[in-house]
Amino acid sequence: MNPLETPSFPSRLPRVGTTIFTVMSALAAEHKAINLGQGFPDFPCDRKLIAEVNEAMLANRNQYPPMIGIAELRNGISQKIQNLYGHHYDADTDITITAGGTQGILTTILACVSPGDEVIIIEPAYDSYRPAIELAGGKTIAIALQVTRDEHGQVASYEIPWEILAKAINTKTRLLIINTPHNPTGMVWGKTDLDRLAGLVRNTSTLILSDEVYEHMVYDGAQHHSVASHPELAARSFLISSFGKTYHVTGWKVGYVAAPSALTKEFRKVHQFNVFTVNTPMQYGLATYLADAEHYLNLPAFYQAKRDFFRAGLSKTKFTLLPTPGTYFQCADYSALDIPQAKFNEADFCKWLTTEIGVAAIPVSAFYEQATESGVIRFCFAKQDQTLSSALQRLEKI
């Protein structure tokens, strides 16, 4: 062996490559396209929040905080969950501050999944779930949402396949991952859905990971139904949320995990050797900002206005719009467009849309392990009105 040659080793994630988000963002930059692909805002956060973080920095809040997060922020989260969902999580034993929602997901899976355990995910699914399961040595059991179509054959909605889900749960099922509001479809679980889920896991040892990072983006007067609002599910669930999504600061990577103390004890064993702790001044700034509930209570109206603006513009095109009761994503079926490209698969259509029309979107097929084509793509409307207007002008030309 050449002593200057870098040794090789077996990949822990041999099937993982460059994500579609990176590919489409690079393509958008290359062709100067409007990027409605990746899910983050192009508008600034509240200057008050920045001021709170700056004040914490100037007050020398710059050293390691407690491993579980500062008390002020954990207490604020506990009070918020109590107020919104009626469930009490002890700030000392049940709540941990994480480096974003994705770290909370990874740490949860590493903490409770052992080699050979089965983990159920519901596809289309956020792309970090499966690699995290593989790193833990678990086996992913993917259940696809049922696609319903209208009389013209276009996708109308997605529904939970309850019978298939029930059959997938067995003695090997360690964890079931749900995501509500759902990325990428925008689907929202209702109270009856949580009741039905509770019935499925009632006499099992299956744990729940509930990814609720879009909890404050539920529209049309509806409520977000958290696992925290369901005592039976709360007793076996890890609830994961994100300040990045709620306060327009995705780059800060601060979130939290709330779970019963027995689950949290195991979570923290992994957390302390994973990231150990999370950015100190950001925590102090968020703790102060969180004290004003209006900042998150007003979020549904803020994003619903953007959703309605974007949908009104898309309705002037031949895209078929799917319902968007939650998240800041709008899915659309392009198969009825009167152009040859309507026959493209989703990935190729998104590449064409980016390079030729100048608007980047994400193929929903990318959220499945095995590419599942339904002619649906995902736009992100967490953008300035001018950005959305410019994108709509281009899309209306199709």
Side-chain angles (χ1 to χ4, degrees):
M1 179 178 177
N2 184 340
L4 299 180
E5 182 179 338
T6 301
S8 62
F9 61 92
S11 173
R12 294 294 308 282
L13 296 170
R15 293 181 295 173
V16 171
T18 304
T19 71
I20 188 66
F21 308 100
T22 300
V23 171
M24 295 310 302
S25 288
L27 201 62
E30 178 184 351
H31 293 273
K32 296 181 172 55
I34 298 170
N35 192 351
L36 301 188
Q38 278 199 300
F40 56 80
D42 70 344
F43 48 82
C45 68
D46 189 343
R47 304 298 292 184
K48 292 179 181 178
L49 178 54
I50 294 177
E52 297 293 354
V53 172
N54 189 49
E55 183 175 333
M57 289 181 176
L58 293 175
N60 295 321
R61 304 285 197 180
N62 300 305
Q63 306 309 320
Y64 291 131
M67 179 266 286
I68 62 176
I70 65 168
E72 293 88 339
L73 186 53
R74 288 182 285 108
N75 286 328
I77 293 167
S78 177
Q79 189 62 57
K80 173 197 159 190
I81 295 174
Q82 176 79 54
N83 292 343
L84 290 177
Y85 310 127
H87 184 78
H88 176 70
Y89 288 97
D90 185 277
D92 293 329
T93 62
D94 301 351
I95 295 173
T96 309
I97 308 304
T98 61
T102 301
Q103 185 247 311
I105 292 166
L106 174 62
T107 302
T108 296
I109 292 170
L110 292 177
C112 64
V113 176
S114 297
D117 285 348
E118 293 183 358
V119 181
I120 297 173
I121 66 173
I122 300 175
E123 291 185 323
Y126 180 52
D127 62 350
S128 85
Y129 297 161
R130 190 182 289 268
I133 296 164
E134 292 180 7
L135 286 174
K139 179 181 179 182
T140 303
I141 306 298
I143 305 298
L145 289 174
Q146 291 176 337
V147 177
T148 62
R149 296 182 181 273
D150 62 20
E151 65 273 18
H152 305 294
Q154 270 69 63
V155 175
S157 64
Y158 294 87
E159 297 179 358
I160 302 166
W162 288 109
E163 292 185 4
I164 297 173
L165 186 58
K167 292 177 181 179
I169 299 173
N170 59 63
T171 56
K172 295 181 180 179
T173 307
R174 174 64 60 214
L175 187 67
L176 193 161
I177 301 177
I178 68 172
N179 174 210
T180 179
H182 183 251
N183 174 23
T185 69
M187 185 188 75
V188 172
W189 287 50
K191 183 181 183 302
T192 55
D193 295 319
L194 294 185
D195 288 340
R196 197 159 182 179
L197 177 63
L200 293 186
V201 299
R202 182 165 295 134
N203 296 313
T204 76
S205 58
T206 299
L207 302 173
I208 304 294
L209 186 163
S210 188
D211 180 352
E212 303 182 19
V213 298
Y214 300 101
E215 63 176 314
H216 299 299
M217 300 168 206
V218 178
Y219 310 127
D220 304 311
Q223 292 182 334
H224 169 62
H225 293 280
S226 170
V227 290
S229 67
H230 196 290
E232 195 173 344
L233 290 177
R236 64 172 72 220
S237 294
F238 296 87
L239 185 165
I240 297 176
S241 194
S242 164
F243 290 112
K245 298 293 192 296
T246 301
Y247 293 143
H248 321 309
V249 287
T250 59
W252 289 11
K253 298 297 295 180
V254 182
Y256 59 88
V257 175
S261 58
L263 300 184
T264 296
K265 181 179 178 181
E266 295 303 314
F267 177 91
R268 289 174 177 175
K269 289 179 181 179
V270 178
H271 174 78
Q272 67 180 333
F273 297 116
N274 185 346
V275 296
F276 176 61
T277 192
V278 177
N279 190 302
T280 303
M282 300 300 188
Q283 289 194 54
Y284 279 100
L286 287 165
T288 303
Y289 197 74
L290 181 62
D292 185 351
E294 293 301 310
H295 293 140
Y296 55 81
L297 293 178
N298 290 334
L299 200 62
F302 173 80
Y303 272 125
Q304 181 173 330
K306 290 188 176 297
R307 181 203 67 173
D308 293 349
F309 177 79
F310 189 57
R311 285 179 66 88
L314 277 181
S315 67
K316 299 175 183 177
T317 72
K318 291 186 178 181
F319 283 102
T320 300
L321 306 185
L322 276 68
T324 306
T327 75
Y328 48 45
F329 301 116
Q330 174 65 59
C331 286
D333 186 324
Y334 62 84
S335 61
L337 295 175
D338 190 21
I339 55 174
Q341 293 80 9
K343 302 299 182 183
F344 285 3
N345 65 38
E346 293 171 20
D348 287 343
F349 183 85
C350 284
K351 290 175 183 176
W352 171 81
L353 194 69
T354 303
T355 59
E356 302 301 323
I357 305 302
V359 178
I362 297 293
V364 170
S365 59
F367 293 83
Y368 294 84
E369 171 69 7
Q370 303 296 328
T372 300
E373 297 294 332
S374 54
V376 176
I377 60 177
R378 189 199 77 176
F379 296 105
C380 174
F381 56 80
K383 309 295 177 182
Q384 298 177 70
D385 287 353
Q386 182 56 52
T387 302
L388 296 175
S389 293
S390 298
L392 288 167
Q393 288 175 4
R394 299 181 183 189
L395 293 171
E396 288 171 7
K397 296 177 182 178
I398 299 177

